Amino acid sequence: MPESNPPRKDEFLSPRYPYWGEVKPQNLIFDANLQEFSNKVALICSLETGGKLKPEEAYRQIKELWKQLKETKKAILDDPQWNEPPPDLPEG
């Protein structure tokens, strides 16, 4: 049985999962941002649960992350520019 390499520290702390939705640049970018949001919220929750972070500070940090995610959604998913087809490349 072949040995598998253990995950690197950054892969362990912030795992990435494949995207299964409609493959468009804006969806991939937002998915990456959403996964980062999720990982950070989980870390903040763990720190709060472990007594390393006060509940009020955990709430403040999560609220700030949520605000950033909303801005990203507005800039990427709600921007009509992203819904336009890419320009045709000249034939060469």
Side-chain angles (χ1 to χ4, degrees):
M1 176 180 234
E3 290 185 37
S4 63
N5 293 329
R8 294 189 340 242
K9 182 174 72 171
D10 60 325
E11 291 171 343
F12 178 77
L13 294 174
S14 297
R16 295 284 179 186
Y17 299 97
Y19 178 69
W20 292 90
E22 182 182 359
V23 178
K24 297 190 312 190
Q26 64 268 35
N27 291 351
L28 296 172
I29 294 168
F30 185 73
D31 179 68
N33 285 312
L34 186 60
Q35 286 191 46
E36 182 178 344
F37 169 81
S38 173
N39 289 333
K40 287 181 178 180
V41 168
L43 180 60
I44 292 167
C45 290
S46 295
L47 289 170
E48 191 278 332
T49 300
K52 302 293 182 183
L53 201 58
K54 292 183 178 183
E56 296 82 8
E57 179 60 18
Y59 176 82
R60 187 197 66 72
Q61 289 184 22
I62 292 171
K63 186 175 179 180
E64 181 60 33
L65 290 171
W66 178 251
K67 192 182 337 180
Q68 292 171 9
L69 185 66
K70 280 176 52 175
E71 290 171 7
T72 300
K73 185 230 180 230
K74 193 188 309 185
I76 295 173
L77 296 182
D78 296 342
D79 187 341
Q81 157 190 324
W82 285 95
N83 294 321
E84 296 175 7
D88 289 331
L89 296 175
E91 293 183 27

